[in-house]
Amino acid sequence: MAQVYLGVDAGNSKTVALASLASGEIVGAGRAGCGDIYGVRDPADAVAAVLGSVDAALSQAGATRWTVSAAAFRLAGVDWPEDGEYWDRALREHWPALTQRSIANDGYAALRCGEPSGIGVSVVAGTAAAIAGRGPDGAMWDMGWWSQHAMGALGLMTEALRAVYLAELEAGPPTRLTSALLEFYGVPSVAELNHRFNRREGRPTQADRTRGARVVTATAMAGDPVASDIVDEQGRRLSLYAQIAARKVGLLDRPEPISVVLSGSVLMAPSSPVAAALLAHLGERLPTAVASPATLPPVAGATLDALAEGGVALSPDVVGRLAGTVPPPEFLKT
């Protein structure tokens, strides 16, 4: 079997691995559960998920761990040095033969999805947000726990519920979010909505909470001032951390345009008002920014990282072949 290159994108909702040939052709794909060491009861469960997705991808490719030339692990929860050290120890224990590997926060996975050079800033807004930057000299910075604001679907819903509760208490302006969220969640009153999300027993899952984010954006698009302010604030926050990432990796010191890659369900939704707000604020904070939506799923960006780190030149042919063989959206859907 020819040597393969492995990209892994691990989050809270799922972990996905792709196996690629040096030509860029994807020959195997695997899925597993939560790969975030912060999102599981025992970090070993995250390791099992990551390696499970890897083995599934290699099995489909007719390959083994011994045939992996390079692997790029882009993992939610790699936020501090000790997190990377944990994964390094785990991979050395479970896969000692894998010497060409890199471990980084999952925010970096999206960079090559819109900028094959891997130089620029990625802004991911899905369930939460991940923002990362890489400079021309290899400097890297990711938001991790530096974020002081709730963003992504969690941020939209956190702010929307706060607005609804304050409106009910006559401590904030009335908003159409109240009726929209009551209808969406099938509860008769704001008191019941509050109870649903804050009771001691039987609280809904994070997925149940975040699915209401689409109601927030739809209400904003319908013209509700409160929802519109929430959406605009999301764009402002995302642009702020994108600017910080660009500064941290030295991109502000260059005359060249700064590539900003947008990814994640909140930003990639059709006619996303959050994306529009982000672009408006980004123009103020980073006038030389050239923003583009990711054309590939994050795991494909991780696979491009593995190819590049393994010595493969990312020619248009290689990138195009990878893009043409990525698994269908149904496989990658959360």
Side-chain angles (χ1 to χ4, degrees):
M1 176 67 193
Q3 291 290 297
V4 297
Y5 301 79
L6 190 71
V8 179
D9 175 42
N12 277 270
S13 57
K14 68 179 184 302
T15 299
V16 186
L18 297 181
S20 168
L21 300 179
S23 65
E25 180 185 0
I26 301 297
V27 290
R31 274 188 64 127
C34 177
D36 180 351
I37 56 176
Y38 285 84
V40 290
R41 183 165 300 182
D42 184 342
D45 294 337
V47 175
V50 166
L51 294 179
S53 71
V54 164
D55 289 337
L58 293 175
S59 176
Q60 188 179 92
T64 68
R65 293 188 185 181
W66 290 97
T67 61
V68 175
S69 182
F73 296 88
R74 302 296 177 256
L75 314 171
V78 177
D79 298 320
W80 301 110
E82 62 265 27
D83 301 325
E85 291 163 6
Y86 174 87
W87 278 104
D88 189 60
R89 289 193 303 272
L91 290 171
R92 278 191 280 112
E93 176 185 351
H94 294 282
W95 198 348
L98 182 65
T99 56
Q100 179 57 59
R101 63 173 183 265
S102 64
I103 301 164
N105 183 271
D106 61 331
Y108 294 100
L111 256 176
R112 292 191 197 268
C113 296
E115 176 50 65
S117 72
I119 297 172
V121 175
S122 70
V123 180
V124 183
T127 299
I131 295 174
R134 183 185 288 118
D137 62 353
M140 297 170 66
W141 183 87
D142 55 88
M143 182 174 64
W145 289 100
W146 287 107
S147 172
Q148 300 304 302
H149 305 90
M151 293 180 284
L154 279 171
L156 288 167
M157 278 301 294
T158 297
E159 299 299 332
L161 289 172
R162 178 182 291 119
V164 168
Y165 301 154
L166 288 173
E168 179 70 8
L169 296 173
E170 298 182 6
T175 170
R176 276 179 272 172
L177 286 168
T178 299
S179 59
L181 288 172
L182 291 181
E183 179 180 358
F184 183 78
Y185 285 106
V187 292
S189 68
V190 174
E192 286 296 323
L193 185 70
N194 195 343
H195 181 245
R196 175 190 179 95
F197 286 112
N198 297 295
R199 60 196 179 202
R200 181 171 55 85
E201 297 180 350
R203 292 188 188 184
T205 63
Q206 178 174 276
D208 186 45
R209 185 184 186 93
T210 57
R211 69 188 179 94
R214 71 190 74 169
V215 177
V216 183
T217 54
T219 306
M221 293 172 72
D224 180 72
V226 172
S228 295
D229 285 348
I230 290 171
V231 164
D232 184 70
E233 178 63 14
Q234 283 289 302
R236 190 195 68 80
R237 292 175 181 178
L238 291 167
S239 72
L240 168 65
Y241 291 102
Q243 180 189 41
I244 292 169
R247 173 167 51 82
K248 287 286 190 179
V249 300
L251 291 172
L252 296 184
D253 304 327
R254 306 170 73 227
E256 294 86 354
I258 300 171
S259 180
V260 179
V261 181
L262 311 185
S263 185
S265 57
V266 170
L267 295 178
M268 302 301 285
S271 302
S272 167
V274 178
L278 166 60
L279 293 176
H281 287 286
L282 196 62
E284 300 166 0
R285 293 186 178 278
L286 291 175
T288 63
V290 177
S292 59
T295 56
L296 295 167
V299 68
T303 308
L304 289 171
D305 275 347
L307 286 161
E309 292 164 5
V312 177
L314 298 183
S315 67
D317 284 345
V318 169
V319 176
R321 194 169 292 111
L322 184 141
T325 53
V326 166
E330 295 74 28
F331 179 83
L332 300 167
K333 188 175 181 181
T334 297

